[in-house]
Amino acid sequence: MDLEARGHSEHPEELRLWLRMLTLTQLIEKQVRSQLREQFDTTLPRFDLMAQLERNPEGLKMNELSRRMMVTGGNVTGITDQLVTEGLVERALVEGDRRAYRVRLTPHGRTQFDEMARAHESWIVSAFDGLNPREVESLHKLLGKVKQHYNEAKLEVL
Amino acid sequence: MDLEARGHSEHPEELRLWLRMLTLTQLIEKQVRSQLREQFDTTLPRFDLMAQLERNPEGLKMNELSRRMMVTGGNVTGITDQLVTEGLVERALVEGDRRAYRVRLTPHGRTQFDEMARAHESWIVSAFDGLNPREVESLHKLLGKVKQHYNEAKLEVL
DNA sequence: TATTGTTATACTCTATAACTATA
DNA sequence: TATAGTTATAGAGTATAACAATA
């Protein structure tokens, strides 16, 4: 996107860093979306929803999915509907609260997700091929520091 | 988005890194979009287009904008149309090629962009408040390494 | 009253492909 | 023929708000 070139010399280093990070993320994300589409005829939000469920075999309520995916509830309903229609996830009743569901992967959904996850993992690993393990670790830590501080700063506002 | 938690222990570090980077980028990007909307009633693509032009006072052709913004041509036409209507950018004739335009900021557009850019810069600086200058530099370098290798790998495929 | 989830709607962003005009 | 740009269209992705059912 050449956003980076926007960073003039008078601009703070943080801005140059952000433009580089944004560009790179968009580059990788665009590739992931396109491969999910081509190889599995699915989308990133659908993949993400299934990934959340894969981590929570007992299932997640709609509002939990909404929070974790950082999108509003209506969208989760739509994506879930699609996946239910395709037999990849199911809505299970929650005992003691007839308003809520617990969404979870079906066995078929789990099988299909595992296949996608393997491919996805390989795309990501090659995206970071330019770094050695020490650098991967270092990048991971630095981003963690930014994120932690970001979240703390946000809490202060609330 | 809690994407991160997806990184099981058996997953490669690259995957955990990617999920953290994606989450953080989306977090910051979401905040930038929302502030651009609230404070300036504009969008990120519009801001990006103007940012490209700010860096190229002589203007850019549509296909140059398209390449730099990493979107296809039709979209650039739409965004440009909006900005022209609002008097923020203008289409200038290119001598010697009556098919092409050169899009550039109007004085009003430049004034308005400068104001947005100052605000944008401050949002970004505070997003990375958790890092000291050395860490900012380190993160910038690591991301540059990933990006460079990524681009080289892509070229080999072509 | 508050919460869970759904429905309805609208808008931004994007890609694709057909098209016009010019080179 | 190839290139610059536009138009038309469709679909993803998202937020908002009104709504129904249950707590």
Side-chain angles (χ1 to χ4, degrees):
Chain A
M1 184 175 298
D2 270 12
L3 286 176
E4 278 198 52
R6 225 157 70 194
H8 281 183
S9 51
E10 80 259 24
H11 288 159
E13 292 302 311
E14 285 87 351
L15 190 56
R16 295 177 53 214
L17 166 56
W18 167 243
L19 297 176
R20 179 169 286 185
M21 183 165 128
L22 180 57
T23 303
L24 179 59
T25 301
Q26 288 177 336
L27 217 53
I28 298 176
E29 195 181 335
K30 203 164 265 205
Q31 193 206 342
V32 168
R33 284 183 197 272
S34 127
Q35 306 231 56
L36 280 176
R37 169 66 61 206
E38 287 171 24
Q39 298 187 24
F40 300 103
D41 192 30
T42 194
T43 65
L44 195 47
R46 288 169 49 120
F47 178 79
D48 280 341
L49 192 152
M50 294 179 74
Q52 296 298 339
L53 299 184
E54 192 259 352
R55 291 188 42 253
N56 296 276
E58 72 289 355
L60 288 171
K61 293 200 297 177
M62 298 301 276
N63 59 15
E64 290 171 335
L65 275 170
S66 169
R67 186 180 53 76
R68 289 172 199 235
M69 298 174 69
M70 295 203 303
V71 297
T72 50
N75 305 304
V76 177
T77 297
I79 298 173
T80 302
D81 286 347
Q82 291 175 25
L83 296 174
V84 167
T85 301
E86 298 171 30
L88 299 170
V89 310
E90 60 191 0
R91 286 180 170 96
L93 297 177
V94 170
E95 296 189 35
D97 190 343
R98 287 191 295 166
R99 295 170 305 178
Y101 294 103
R102 195 161 285 284
V103 184
R104 61 185 181 207
L105 288 176
T106 62
H108 177 222
R110 179 167 301 276
T111 304
Q112 189 141 326
F113 177 76
D114 287 347
E115 194 190 341
M116 291 194 292
R118 271 196 300 279
H120 177 260
E121 194 173 289
S122 76
W123 307 331
I124 298 307
V125 169
S126 33
F128 289 98
D129 228 16
L131 301 184
N132 62 42
R134 181 191 300 271
E135 289 167 328
V136 169
E137 169 71 7
S138 171
L139 190 46
H140 188 256
K141 268 189 187 159
L142 286 168
L143 293 174
K145 202 163 175 181
V146 177
K147 202 177 157 197
Q148 189 187 338
H149 187 274
Y150 195 87
N151 287 331
E152 286 167 2
K154 216 168 203 173
L155 283 179
E156 286 167 20
V157 176
L158 302 181
Chain B
M1 181 171 310
D2 271 9
L3 285 176
E4 279 196 52
R6 226 159 66 195
H8 282 181
S9 52
E10 80 262 22
H11 287 160
E13 292 302 312
E14 286 86 351
L15 190 54
R16 296 176 52 214
L17 166 56
W18 167 242
L19 298 176
R20 178 168 286 184
M21 183 165 128
L22 180 57
T23 303
L24 179 59
T25 301
Q26 288 178 336
L27 218 54
I28 298 176
E29 195 181 333
K30 203 163 262 205
Q31 192 204 343
V32 168
R33 285 184 195 273
S34 129
Q35 307 231 56
L36 280 176
R37 169 66 63 205
E38 286 170 25
Q39 297 187 24
F40 300 103
D41 192 30
T42 193
T43 65
L44 194 49
R46 287 168 50 119
F47 179 79
D48 281 340
L49 192 151
M50 293 180 75
Q52 297 299 339
L53 299 183
E54 192 258 353
R55 293 188 44 254
N56 296 276
E58 73 289 356
L60 288 172
K61 293 200 297 176
M62 297 302 275
N63 60 15
E64 290 172 335
L65 275 170
S66 169
R67 185 180 55 74
R68 289 172 198 237
M69 296 174 72
M70 297 202 305
V71 297
T72 50
N75 304 304
V76 178
T77 297
I79 298 173
T80 302
D81 286 347
Q82 291 175 25
L83 296 174
V84 167
T85 300
E86 298 172 29
L88 299 170
V89 311
E90 60 191 359
R91 287 180 168 94
L93 297 177
V94 170
E95 296 190 34
D97 190 343
R98 286 190 296 166
R99 295 171 306 178
Y101 293 102
R102 194 161 285 284
V103 183
R104 62 186 181 205
L105 288 176
T106 62
H108 176 222
R110 178 167 301 275
T111 303
Q112 189 141 326
F113 177 76
D114 287 346
E115 193 190 342
M116 291 194 292
R118 271 196 300 278
H120 176 260
E121 196 172 289
S122 75
W123 305 331
I124 298 308
V125 169
S126 35
F128 289 98
D129 229 16
L131 300 185
N132 63 40
R134 183 190 299 270
E135 290 168 327
V136 169
E137 168 70 8
S138 171
L139 190 45
H140 188 256
K141 268 190 186 160
L142 286 168
L143 293 173
K145 203 165 174 179
V146 178
K147 200 175 159 200
Q148 189 187 338
H149 187 274
Y150 194 88
N151 287 331
E152 285 167 3
K154 215 167 201 173
L155 284 177
E156 285 166 20
V157 178
L158 303 181

